[in-house]
Amino acid sequence: MKEYRFPCSVSKKCGGCQLTNMTYEEQLSYKQAKVIRLLGRFGHVNEIVSTGRPFYYRNKVQAAFGRTRGGEIVSGVYQSSTHNIVKVDSCLLEDQRADAIIVTVRKMLREFGLTVFDERNQKGFLRHVLVKAAQGTGEIMVVLVTGTREFKSKNAFCEALIKRHPEITTILQNVNNRFTSLVLGEEEHVLYGDGYITDELLGKRFRISSRSFYQINYEATKILYKKVIEFAGLTGKERVIDAYSGVGTIGMLCADFAREVLSVELNKDAVADAKKNAKLNDLHNITFVCADATEFLTGFAREKEKADVVIMDPPRAGSTVQFMNSVCMLAPERIVYVSCNPETLARDLHWFVQHGYKVKKIQPVDMFPNTNHVETVVLLSRK
Ligand code: SAH
């Protein structure tokens, strides 16, 4: 068999792409087999859908900054399970505009006499750069994560950066002076533009802040959301719950086809964005609650509320038994479960199947080409 060569020179050190030994077709078969292995016992698994574009899809790019032993300033990713930075100037998965901006920032540090953060003594200026690109509108956000609040020649720095990258629409400074592996700190200052970007997706507009969750593969998200809407089977009469709703994308796309939508999300920045987004899209039948999804649904079920459709899109760890128990008390006809982790999905589906629901459809989507991650949408209906 012909040997496949993944066109990246740092893939071993970086570890971000786990399927570098496979062609893209082989990756799709591998993911299909994985979903069948984990979820096949619940029913037929539809063929995985893909955008056919396995490269340059990541619209959110994060680079860590540091120095080599020789003193050279580098930016890139942490080598798996270490804090050594692997120098990455252009990554095959990342939006190419984002990568170019990060390289420019690195070069500009020297020109402006700015330092990089040193994790060992917790001193120095630039820690990370986060770039978010709205691929529907072309808007770009740059977040400079700094170890100190003080930012020498801040205005001149931003001006020079915009001059070299006029595609940037907003720049923020995020201060993170804590001993943490989290990228973003609490304190944030807008240095240029509005402090957020707005994307356009399936005819709706979505405002995104530095901290709110937004799907990282724009084209694949369109495929995913269309499946979610199809599975939700809305006729205009339903009360829909959109749990783990982020900036409200799924709920807002459903609002056109439902009586009312109730969205629940824990991250307050995402909820603030979601509320603005409803106005932006002139939607009046959607409400946003900022709460832990389990707590909110438990209270809602206790008040004997009902729902016709529950859409849930929890993080990798999956949902909680208490959340699922409350869902069952709302007695929706349909549950649409969106998951980025088929292992926890299998665990949660098992619970639903034991408690009165039947798995009707299983649809894998290739959201994260070249990595071993796979997204799945499942439709459940009441027995
Ligand atoms: N459905 C959205 C977001 C999915 S990501 C979209 O398609 O864009 C999962 C979301 O769950 C994140 O926004 C995260 O902030 C939120 N989240 C995590 N734990 C939560 C909890 N316990 N309760 C409610 N939301 C939670």
Side-chain angles (χ1 to χ4, degrees):
M1 206 163 56
K2 211 170 101 213
E3 200 197 332
Y4 174 64
R5 248 178 207 289
F6 190 70
C8 172
S9 57
V10 295
S11 65
K12 279 223 165 58
K13 274 192 178 164
C14 160
C17 296
Q18 299 84 18
L19 306 184
T20 52
N21 58 337
M22 298 181 198
T23 63
Y24 189 50
E25 282 66 36
E26 287 166 346
Q27 293 181 21
L28 292 175
S29 315
Y30 165 84
K31 290 184 188 184
Q32 181 75 18
K34 179 173 173 175
V35 177
I36 291 175
R37 176 167 55 78
L38 290 163
L39 306 178
R41 66 189 149 116
F42 298 109
H44 171 74
V45 177
N46 292 350
E47 193 179 333
I48 187 165
V49 277
S50 118
T51 62
R53 274 177 259 173
F55 296 122
Y56 307 120
Y57 58 83
R58 269 200 82 101
N59 58 16
K60 173 185 161 192
V61 175
Q62 252 156 230
F65 278 71
R67 273 181 198 280
T68 59
R69 281 208 188 90
E72 185 204 355
I73 293 182
V74 286
S75 61
V77 295
Y78 291 120
Q79 187 169 354
S80 348
S81 56
T82 74
H83 266 214
N84 302 331
I85 295 171
V86 182
K87 187 177 173 190
V88 178
D89 280 0
S90 66
C91 162
L92 285 165
L93 304 197
E94 296 170 351
D95 188 293
Q96 290 173 291
R97 291 165 303 175
D99 281 354
I101 290 167
I102 290 166
V103 170
T104 302
V105 169
R106 196 180 66 220
K107 288 185 182 149
M108 282 174 56
L109 288 176
R110 207 175 321 124
E111 294 165 27
F112 281 79
L114 292 164
T115 57
V116 289
F117 191 73
D118 184 339
E119 287 202 315
R120 278 159 306 184
N121 58 21
Q122 299 285 304
K123 285 210 170 75
F125 179 65
L126 192 68
R127 262 184 115 147
H128 300 273
V129 173
L130 162 68
V131 181
K132 287 188 176 187
Q135 294 178 341
T137 57
E139 294 185 15
I140 293 182
M141 166 193 292
V142 177
V143 186
L144 304 166
V145 185
T146 63
T148 57
R149 182 179 299 154
E150 196 206 337
F151 185 166
K152 203 171 59 180
S153 11
K154 150 169 91 183
N155 295 339
F157 188 91
C158 290
E159 241 171 69
L161 183 57
I162 300 286
K163 199 157 181 204
R164 290 182 214 186
H165 293 279
E167 65 276 21
I168 297 172
T169 51
T170 190
I171 304 177
L172 297 104
Q173 178 187 4
N174 179 290
V175 184
N176 185 355
N177 49 18
R178 279 193 244 162
F179 186 74
T180 170
S181 55
L182 292 178
V183 172
L184 294 179
E186 289 295 319
E187 186 181 327
E188 205 156 84
H189 306 280
V190 178
L191 304 182
Y192 172 79
D194 297 329
Y196 59 85
I197 48 170
T198 306
D199 205 1
E200 208 246 64
L201 188 93
L202 299 175
K204 296 258 180 295
R205 291 174 73 79
F206 299 108
R207 158 185 169 152
I208 305 148
S209 327
S210 65
R211 244 184 297 258
S212 8
F213 177 91
Y214 187 64
Q215 299 285 352
I216 56 109
N217 184 338
Y218 179 77
E219 293 300 330
T221 300
K222 289 190 199 164
I223 298 178
L224 176 76
Y225 286 175
K226 280 190 195 156
K227 275 288 157 203
V228 173
I229 295 165
E230 178 195 321
F231 284 7
L234 302 173
T235 64
K237 296 198 191 90
E238 295 80 7
R239 179 189 223 186
V240 179
I241 291 185
D242 173 23
Y244 308 92
S245 54
V247 296
T249 42
I250 293 177
M252 278 184 245
L253 290 165
C254 289
D256 288 341
F257 312 105
R259 177 164 54 84
E260 67 164 316
V261 180
L262 190 56
S263 292
V264 53
E265 159 66 45
L266 189 59
N267 179 312
K268 63 177 181 355
D269 294 327
V271 175
D273 284 343
K275 288 182 176 165
K276 298 254 167 51
N277 287 334
K279 285 216 177 87
L280 202 60
N281 293 298
D282 201 22
L283 293 169
H284 303 281
N285 60 340
I286 182 162
T287 317
F288 301 94
V289 181
C290 184
D292 169 68
T294 299
E295 263 176 44
F296 173 75
L297 231 66
T298 307
F300 202 61
R302 205 182 295 125
E303 283 158 28
K304 305 223 162 13
E305 293 281 352
K306 296 286 167 210
D308 302 296
V309 177
V310 172
I311 299 171
M312 54 190 285
D313 184 5
R316 289 189 62 72
S319 195
T320 64
V321 166
Q322 201 185 328
F323 176 93
M324 293 187 287
N325 211 3
S326 305
V327 168
C328 289
M329 285 166 73
L330 305 176
E333 273 310 312
R334 288 179 295 286
I335 300 169
V336 183
Y337 194 142
V338 185
S339 161
C340 58
N341 183 351
E343 265 116 19
T344 53
L345 175 61
R347 179 199 69 201
D348 292 351
L349 290 182
H350 179 74
W351 195 93
F352 276 124
V353 166
Q354 304 266 300
H355 293 81
Y357 282 84
K358 202 169 154 357
V359 173
K360 300 289 265 193
K361 284 178 183 163
I362 305 173
Q363 178 64 64
V365 178
D366 194 23
M367 276 289 241
F368 317 102
N370 301 306
T371 78
N372 57 12
H373 299 288
V374 55
E375 189 85 8
T376 315
V377 198
V378 174
L379 170 65
L380 295 123
S381 74
R382 209 141 68 95
K383 273 188 208 156

